[in-house]
């Protein structure tokens, strides 16, 4: 034997010594590793019927079987070659006699070839061919993609803070102060062009690509801030729409008096109201009707020109101011009832 079994060659000498002791090999103490491999290989080959069922030697006999070769292939190689048929002309009877003989010889050859041919390569090739997806697989993939997209959009929407900003904006606008500010801003929007008129500044040239024409730009004339034509109506409107109603609403504060009452419900912590919004709205309506509706100047303290300018510039005149005061008053009353 030119060399020991490959499985034995991969083992360490200590493992080979254990195998020798396990199988009952004798007089191996003085052997080197190569000599012990050869001795074990020869000993195990001679006693294959005894140790072939041993689990510790299963790898050895498997390696030995691969080295020796498959018995099926040996049978195929040992089959006799098919005899050559003479090409000389024979009679019809001789042809009929040789045909069954040839078919009987071809059957073992084809059978042996089929036995020797393994299907591993064919199965490996078939496993690499992608099969078409079934409708159920397509539907499941679409569902997974939809769920993943919905989850991603929900997470992006949640991280953007839109929900918190929406709730904060709704809470801010759902108050009496927001209504009062909206009414005041509405009046100021129509009053500003009257007391701070616009003046031409420059022109945006036409853009042929967009199909636009020349657009003149007007901005407020800030030099009017230095004249009495601005301050006289501006101070009058500020006094009648904000300052005087706020002063009266601070002192005639029904909501604040109720909050400081000694009779309180246990555990209640009402919010502090500096200016009573209902009083503010009522006083604003009264002073606006007196000044702008009746033209009272309080002994010449108020300019009639300023009254006329405000009355003509605000949407609806003094009636529009009264309508805004009525809206804020109704909202203040409703808010007080809800909080009770």
């Amino acid at each position: 034997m030119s060399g020991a079994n490959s499985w034995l060659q991969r083992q360490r000498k200590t493992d080979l010594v254990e195998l020798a002791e396990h199988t009952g090999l004798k007089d191996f103490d003085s052997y080197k590793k190569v000599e012990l491999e050869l001795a074990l290989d020869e000993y195990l080959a001679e006693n294959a019927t005894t140790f072939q069922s041993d689990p510790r030697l299963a790898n050895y006999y498997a390696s030995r079987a691969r080295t020796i070769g498959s018995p099926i292939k040996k049978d195929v190689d040992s089959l006799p070659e098919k005899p050559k048929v003479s090409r000389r002309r024979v009679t019809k009877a001789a042809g009929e006699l040789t045909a069954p003989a040839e078919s009987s010889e071809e059957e073992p050859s084809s059978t042996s070839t089929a036995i020797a041919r393994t299907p591993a390569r064919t199965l490996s090739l078939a496993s690499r061919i992608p099969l078409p997806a079934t409708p159920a697989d397509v539907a499941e993939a679409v569902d997974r993609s939809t769920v993943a997209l919905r989850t991603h959009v929900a997470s992006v929407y949640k991280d953007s803070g839109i929900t918190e900003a929406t709730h904060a904006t709704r809470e801010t606008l759902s108050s009496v102060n927001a209504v009062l500010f909206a009414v005041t801003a509405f009046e100021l929007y129509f009053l500003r062009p009257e007391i701070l008129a616009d003046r031409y500044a420059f022109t945006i040239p036409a853009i042929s690509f967009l199909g636009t024409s020349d657009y003149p730009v007007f901005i407020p004339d800030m030099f009017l801030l230095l004249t009495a034509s601005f301050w006289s109506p501006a101070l009058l409107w500020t006094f009648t729409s904000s300052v005087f109603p706020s002063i009266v609403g601070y002192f005639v504060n029904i909501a604040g008096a109720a909050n400081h009452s000694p009779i309180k419900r246990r555990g209640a912590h009402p919010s502090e109201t500096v200016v009573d919004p209902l009083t503010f709205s009522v006083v604003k309506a009264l002073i606006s009707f007196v000044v702008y509706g009746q033209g009272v100047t309080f002994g010449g303290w108020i300019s009639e020109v300023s009254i006329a300018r405000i009355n003509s510039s605000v949407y609806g005149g003094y009636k529009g101011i009264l309508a805004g005061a009525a809206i804020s008053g109704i909202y203040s009353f409703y808010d007080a009832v809800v909080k009770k």
Side-chain angles (χ1 to χ4, degrees), residues 202-208 210 212-217:
F202 57 91
T203 301
I204 298 177
I207 302 176
S208 59
L210 300 178
T212 60
S213 57
D214 294 341
Y215 182 78
V217 178

Side-chain angles (χ1 to χ4, degrees), residues 154-162:
S155 62
V156 171
Y157 179 80
K158 183 177 180 181
D159 296 338
S160 63
I162 297 177

Side-chain angles (χ1 to χ4, degrees), residues 274-312:
V274 179
V275 177
D276 192 312
L278 182 59
T279 304
F280 178 93
S281 301
V282 172
V283 173
K284 179 182 178 180
L286 290 176
I287 191 67
S288 298
F289 175 75
V290 171
V291 175
Y292 304 118
Q294 302 300 320
V296 178
T297 60
F298 294 98
W301 284 92
I302 301 176
S303 173
E304 295 182 356
V305 177
S306 298
I307 296 175
R309 292 179 64 187
I310 295 174
N311 207 10
S312 62

Side-chain angles (χ1 to χ4, degrees), residues 69-80 108 112-113 115-116:
S70 174
I72 297 177
K73 292 184 178 180
K74 284 189 172 183
D75 294 342
V76 174
D77 296 337
S78 61
L79 286 176
S112 301
T113 305
I115 294 174

Side-chain angles (χ1 to χ4, degrees), residues 8-27:
L8 293 175
Q9 292 177 358
R10 292 193 300 269
Q11 306 301 314
R12 294 177 298 179
K13 186 176 181 180
T14 54
D15 298 334
L16 296 176
V17 171
E18 292 179 0
L19 287 176
E21 294 175 351
H22 176 71
T23 57
L25 182 64
K26 299 179 181 180
D27 300 331

